[in-house]
Amino acid sequence: MFEIRLGDKGEVVCEGRLDASQAGKAQAFLDALAAPDVVDMARLEYISSAGLGVLLRTQKRLLQSGGGLRLVNPSRHIRDIFRYSGFDRIFQIDDGA
Amino acid sequence: MISARFHRSFDALDQVFGFTRRFYDAEGVPDEARLVLDFCLEEIFTNCVKYNRGNLQEIELTLDRAGDRIQARLTDFDVEPYDITQAPAVDISLPASAREPGGLGLHLVRRLVDDLTYDYTNRQSRITVTKNLR
């Protein structure tokens, strides 16, 4: 199961498992936001390369207008995936919102 | 050792993960290894789906434990050979503007598992990943 929604502070909240069957849902949600900035991953259990593609496409769009995503509270496993992908060079990744 | 066959579709991932979860629970596989194995199986499974779209054959997944090693094998039937162990490397040092989605999955599979092998015989591709639990 995967859920994506806006949190109380306007942050994007991702929960569950972001796999290839859910990437379209995540991309559509992010594409509908003019300038998302924070993505809270505290309850995101799993991400595959399809989910990484969603984040990368969104980041490329935002960078063109001077914005960018900040990825907060990823699990240790997801942090490792980000590091092995080089995402720690192209996203700001933090432990707290 | 257990095996099952799955429809060639992204929508089959829920069933794939249900199958792996039952195996992990029965074998007491730790959480970190579950996430790594599921990641690798999804990347290889979706690769089979994407690059053999006209194929109506199901994809077989076999899971086995030998001591502290988990082996997972995906068999894709009636396909042309594609050795995923030879997939091009991804330059992860590039800035976002120069990066493109795609290619990261197999790069990460190679990074995460302890062994990855490819075998092709009788128009069947067999990809085996091994994850050590210690």
Side-chain angles (χ1 to χ4, degrees):
Chain A
M1 193 180 103
F2 172 73
E3 291 296 331
I4 186 166
R5 59 181 171 81
L6 285 178
D8 294 340
K9 300 173 186 171
E11 76 278 23
V12 175
V13 177
C14 293
E15 299 182 13
R17 294 172 68 99
L18 178 46
D19 61 29
S21 69
Q22 301 297 319
K25 175 181 176 177
Q27 190 72 68
F29 185 91
L30 289 167
D31 286 350
L33 299 176
D37 51 3
V38 173
V39 180
D40 188 347
M41 300 184 156
R43 301 179 73 177
L44 185 67
E45 300 167 15
Y46 171 93
I47 189 168
S48 68
S49 71
L52 298 177
V54 170
L55 295 175
L56 180 58
R57 275 187 287 272
T58 304
Q59 185 74 334
K60 288 167 70 92
R61 170 172 70 91
L62 296 173
L63 288 173
Q64 289 177 346
S65 54
L69 290 177
R70 186 159 69 96
L71 312 178
V72 303
N73 298 318
S75 67
R76 193 179 72 178
H77 168 75
I78 291 176
R79 203 175 255 277
D80 286 344
I81 294 287
F82 287 158
R83 191 171 71 252
Y84 300 153
S85 304
F87 274 28
D88 53 344
R89 302 166 187 236
I90 56 182
F91 290 91
Q92 184 180 340
I93 301 172
D94 296 326
D95 285 329
Chain B
M1 182 170 69
I2 59 171
S3 293
R5 293 192 178 192
F6 299 94
H7 185 55
R8 183 180 297 274
S9 165
F10 289 0
D11 291 336
L13 284 173
D14 267 357
Q15 294 167 34
V16 171
F17 292 144
F19 178 72
T20 60
R21 187 170 56 249
R22 289 191 293 277
F23 174 81
Y24 301 150
D25 288 346
E27 295 292 341
V29 177
D31 288 346
E32 178 66 20
R34 294 175 184 227
L35 292 168
V36 166
L37 285 162
D38 275 357
F39 182 95
C40 296
L41 291 173
E42 176 180 336
E43 299 304 334
I44 297 167
F45 185 90
T46 56
N47 213 58
C48 294
V49 173
K50 281 187 280 191
Y51 296 111
N52 295 294
R53 285 194 184 277
N55 189 328
L56 299 178
Q57 301 260 13
E58 292 184 317
I59 299 166
E60 183 177 83
L61 170 58
T62 301
L63 299 170
D64 193 16
R65 177 171 187 166
D68 287 329
R69 291 193 317 170
I70 302 293
Q71 276 201 333
R73 185 175 65 243
L74 280 158
T75 304
D76 201 6
F77 300 92
D78 193 22
V79 294
E80 299 298 324
Y82 178 66
D83 185 352
I84 68 165
T85 66
Q86 302 301 313
V90 174
D91 185 352
I92 62 169
S93 68
L94 293 173
S97 59
R99 297 281 299 265
E100 294 294 337
L104 262 180
L106 297 181
H107 161 83
L108 289 166
V109 168
R110 287 196 296 253
R111 181 70 177 76
L112 290 167
V113 298
D114 294 292
D115 193 36
L116 173 68
T117 64
Y118 176 80
D119 174 61
Y120 183 79
T121 49
N122 299 325
R123 291 190 56 77
Q124 297 177 15
S125 283
R126 278 178 293 277
I127 301 120
T128 305
V129 300
T130 301
K131 178 67 182 167
N132 296 332
L133 300 182
R134 289 187 181 175

